[in-house]
Amino acid sequence: MPRTPAPNEDDDLDDLPETHPPQPVYYAEQALLGALLLEPHRLADVTGIEPGSFSNHAHGALFAAICDQPAPDPVQHAKDTSWLNAVLAAAREQARGLTASYLHTLIQVCPWPRHASAYARMIEAEHARRTLRAHAERLALTARDVTLPQPIFATFAAADALARCVDDLAARFPPHSGSLPRPPAPPPEDAHDGNDEEVLDEERLLLATATAHPADAEQMRWLTVHDFTHPLHAGLWQCLTALTRRGAAVDPVTVLWEAQQRGLLTAGVEPAHLLGLLAGTAGSPQYWGERILQRAVLRTAQGVGHRIEAFADDPATTPYQLVVGSRRVLADLHALRTRWNHASTSAPSTSPARARASAPPRAGPPRTTAPSASRISR
């Protein structure tokens, strides 16, 4: 049985060492090419694929040559190899490792030439899986690329490209009865996001400025507790929003009391430290809220990419299951995108450099810097 050729196509394909066991699609490609070499008129039954659909470069080059060469007369084709020689010469321009013996091998390993359309469908399905995985990987890489000047918009563009790929799969592979795709393993946690002191400082600054300006915080319904990386910070944001929506008084002490009622004052979270956290204001709630939401969008996009990659890596997942699973995962990112649009079209954010004077706490002079990490136990 021929082996998968290495990227260097200069040697005979039959003589190359085997580095990885061929996947099932490799044999489908061999069967299709064998069918077309033996009975070229079967090309009329082949749809949905092109040379780039093949997982093997030499196979793609050979398919392109078959498509480019005029179909021979069936009677003449049975008598001589002139058409096969022309196909081989054309294919060797792109894959020099192809030989006449390999073409004869392809013909020999083809079970039934009349099944050419079925082989082509297998190749199409596997190419769709690879394409979807490539888009998902690009989304995950874009979301964690810290060098991008506007990462949020680059991430949305990658997500749109992924969604278009899913729509294309849905159009090419009709729905069928069957179970949903198996849930993938949880995506790897981004340790950088969860432990970055800058991230935690931004969450503390939001809580402090929102406590000083509760009217602004009340308008930020686009920010939820799920956008925070630290559980305590998420709980304090819940306390703040609960107070503002009840029309209750909001200051560090009332937030502290609400936190006690919600069971946030556990071991390691001292009231004095929490009061210090809520007193360090700088900038505006809108600015820090947008920063936190942007990180949540990028974090979610990265997780979406990893989950769809996991779907695509499971060979038991059918193309239609890929569509269903990917759309469900993308819905999470779409919901966050909707909230981001609400945030970015609301009142313009104010960066710390242009921050308006923050209202002083009820007791003591106003603070202008965030409390240090040691001020509160995480």
Side-chain angles (χ1 to χ4, degrees), residues 246-373:
R246 293 202 306 262
V250 178
D251 61 41
V253 174
T254 60
V255 174
L256 174 64
W257 185 259
E258 184 75 13
Q260 175 179 269
Q261 302 302 303
R262 293 174 178 266
L264 297 181
L265 300 184
T266 58
V269 181
E270 299 180 3
H273 290 169
L274 196 150
L275 287 173
L277 181 152
L278 296 174
T281 63
S284 70
Q286 175 84 14
Y287 174 79
W288 298 118
E290 286 187 15
R291 294 276 296 178
I292 292 169
L293 183 58
Q294 174 172 309
R295 292 185 188 275
V297 169
L298 298 179
R299 189 168 59 248
T300 299
Q302 186 176 340
V304 166
H306 287 317
R307 291 171 65 186
I308 295 179
E309 283 183 66
F311 282 141
D313 286 340
D314 185 354
T317 305
T318 67
Y320 178 65
Q321 287 176 322
L322 287 175
V323 171
V324 174
S326 298
R327 282 178 168 171
R328 289 194 172 194
V329 174
L330 281 167
D332 296 336
L333 183 58
H334 178 73
L336 261 173
R337 186 173 186 171
T338 300
R339 291 198 283 120
W340 169 261
N341 290 336
H342 289 163
S344 58
T345 56
S346 58
S349 60
T350 306
S351 66
R354 299 181 180 180
R356 65 177 181 269
S358 53
R362 302 301 190 269
R367 295 176 60 95
T368 58
T369 59
S372 63

Side-chain angles (χ1 to χ4, degrees), residues 65-254:
I66 293 173
C67 293
D68 292 340
Q69 294 297 317
D73 177 75
V75 176
Q76 187 65 29
H77 182 59
K79 293 179 180 179
D80 59 52
T81 62
S82 57
W83 184 81
L84 292 177
N85 294 337
V87 167
L88 177 60
R92 280 177 59 85
E93 295 179 4
Q94 300 297 326
R96 288 178 295 172
L98 284 169
T99 63
S101 65
Y102 187 66
L103 266 61
H104 288 290
T105 298
L106 293 175
I107 294 174
Q108 293 171 1
V109 300
C110 176
W112 293 102
R114 65 173 179 267
H115 294 167
S117 60
Y119 305 144
R121 190 64 167 170
M122 299 173 193
I123 296 169
E124 181 184 10
E126 196 62 25
H127 178 248
R129 182 189 307 279
R130 293 195 304 271
T131 302
L132 179 65
R133 193 192 190 286
H135 279 290
E137 183 178 17
R138 187 175 298 114
L139 173 61
L141 291 175
T142 302
R144 66 176 295 116
D145 188 350
V146 297
T147 65
L148 295 174
Q150 294 183 314
I152 197 78
F153 299 110
T155 298
F156 286 153
D160 289 340
L162 174 57
R164 287 193 296 270
C165 177
V166 174
D167 291 341
D168 178 62
L169 262 64
R172 289 160 52 197
F173 297 93
H176 59 77
S177 59
S179 61
L180 293 176
R182 291 177 289 184
E189 293 291 337
D190 188 358
H192 173 79
D193 213 29
N195 299 320
D196 193 335
E197 192 62 30
E198 180 183 359
V199 177
L200 299 177
D201 278 342
E202 289 177 357
E203 293 181 358
R204 297 184 194 111
L205 286 167
L206 168 66
L207 294 170
T209 54
T211 302
H213 304 281
D216 292 347
E218 204 277 333
Q219 303 300 318
M220 297 168 55
R221 294 177 181 255
W222 39 263
L223 191 67
T224 72
V225 295
H226 304 292
D227 301 328
F228 290 79
T229 61
H230 196 290
L232 176 62
H233 298 166
L236 290 175
W237 179 252
Q238 201 168 30
C239 294
L240 260 166
T241 55
L243 289 173
T244 57
R245 289 167 189 174
R246 293 202 306 262
V250 178
D251 61 41
V253 174
T254 60

Side-chain angles (χ1 to χ4, degrees), residues 14-107:
D14 293 329
D15 298 331
L16 290 174
E18 181 176 314
T19 56
H20 299 287
Q23 298 300 307
V25 70
Y26 178 80
Y27 300 104
E29 293 176 4
Q30 286 191 318
L32 173 63
L33 294 173
L36 297 180
L37 292 172
L38 185 62
E39 301 180 5
H41 68 277
R42 299 288 181 184
L43 185 60
D45 302 329
V46 175
T47 59
I49 62 171
E50 55 188 20
S53 303
F54 288 76
S55 64
N56 180 283
H57 171 73
H59 289 173
L62 185 56
F63 181 75
I66 293 173
C67 293
D68 292 340
Q69 294 297 317
D73 177 75
V75 176
Q76 187 65 29
H77 182 59
K79 293 179 180 179
D80 59 52
T81 62
S82 57
W83 184 81
L84 292 177
N85 294 337
V87 167
L88 177 60
R92 280 177 59 85
E93 295 179 4
Q94 300 297 326
R96 288 178 295 172
L98 284 169
T99 63
S101 65
Y102 187 66
L103 266 61
H104 288 290
T105 298
L106 293 175
I107 294 174

